[in-house]
Amino acid sequence: MPETYPREIQRRRAKRTGVQLTLAPAQSGLTFKQMAIITFFTPLRMLVTEPIVIALALYVGFIFAVIFQFFVSIPAVLTMTYMFTVQQVGIAFISAIVGVLLAAATSAIFDRLSVSRHAKTQHDGKIPEEHTMLPGMLGGLLITASLFWIGWTASPKMHFMIPIIGTLVFIWGSALVL
């Protein structure tokens, strides 16, 4: 694969021709202080002062907490309610893998549809931010529905596949949000 970084192309050309090359310093951050401000303090200030950043950080933190709680509680529910063995519990987690795969496919479909729709009307090459949030909006609905689904169906009266499918829907929604 050919080199595309302009500074490296110039270095290689100068080395090949034997010409002395003096390049200006790279502009990735001139000092440690500037890099610290850009990469650490500015996001930290946004986390404390921007309401939308605070809300999204809390929401994503909640989703992560529920996901990790799922990985603890689902084996307990399956073993105590449905008398699953350890191997059967492991197989039940295939639903989580399917949920992540569905989230990837759903995100790709949303991206394809929003990009093509926007490209027909606008020719600036930029997609509005609200179009990139569509998978997360669907994920929020799936998360809410699946939590009720699993909570109401994890009983010995119900077939064991019903809460397992609810887990699939929860992981699908969580992966869309994240």
Side-chain angles (χ1 to χ4, degrees):
M1 183 171 210
E3 181 65 55
T4 58
Y5 183 54
R7 294 175 65 86
E8 184 60 27
I9 293 172
Q10 290 175 340
R11 281 190 205 106
R12 289 181 183 181
R13 186 177 301 142
K15 186 177 180 181
R16 188 176 60 241
T17 59
V19 176
Q20 181 68 21
L21 179 67
T22 48
L23 294 172
Q27 299 298 315
S28 63
L30 300 177
T31 66
F32 181 75
K33 180 181 175 184
Q34 290 172 331
M35 284 301 286
I37 289 171
I38 291 169
T39 60
F40 182 72
F41 292 112
T42 301
L44 189 62
R45 181 178 48 84
M46 288 176 64
L47 182 62
V48 175
T49 60
E50 300 287 333
I52 190 71
V53 176
I54 294 169
L56 286 175
L58 290 174
Y59 184 65
V60 168
F62 170 74
I63 297 300
F64 270 119
V66 174
I67 287 172
F68 290 124
Q69 184 61 38
F70 250 63
F71 290 131
V72 172
S73 64
I74 290 297
V77 168
L78 292 176
T79 55
M80 288 189 284
T81 306
Y82 298 107
M83 306 308 165
F84 271 34
T85 64
V86 174
Q87 292 82 8
Q88 289 171 323
V89 170
I91 290 172
F93 275 106
I94 291 175
S95 66
I97 296 169
V98 173
V100 170
L101 294 174
L102 280 172
T106 305
S107 292
I109 290 168
F110 270 113
D111 286 346
R112 177 73 58 155
L113 292 176
S114 64
V115 167
S116 65
R117 182 181 304 141
H118 187 72
K120 289 178 184 174
T121 59
Q122 305 291 327
H123 301 289
D124 59 355
K126 296 178 184 174
I127 304 298
E129 289 81 14
E130 56 270 14
H131 290 288
T132 62
M133 293 183 70
L134 292 175
M137 291 178 197
L138 175 63
L141 295 174
L142 291 174
I143 289 169
T144 305
S146 67
L147 288 175
F148 282 107
W149 179 345
I150 295 167
W152 281 334
T153 61
S155 73
K157 298 175 188 172
M158 299 286 189
H159 192 271
F160 68 88
M161 281 304 293
I162 296 173
I164 290 175
I165 293 171
T167 303
L168 179 147
V169 174
F170 176 77
I171 298 297
W172 181 13
S174 299
L176 284 174
V177 168
L178 299 177

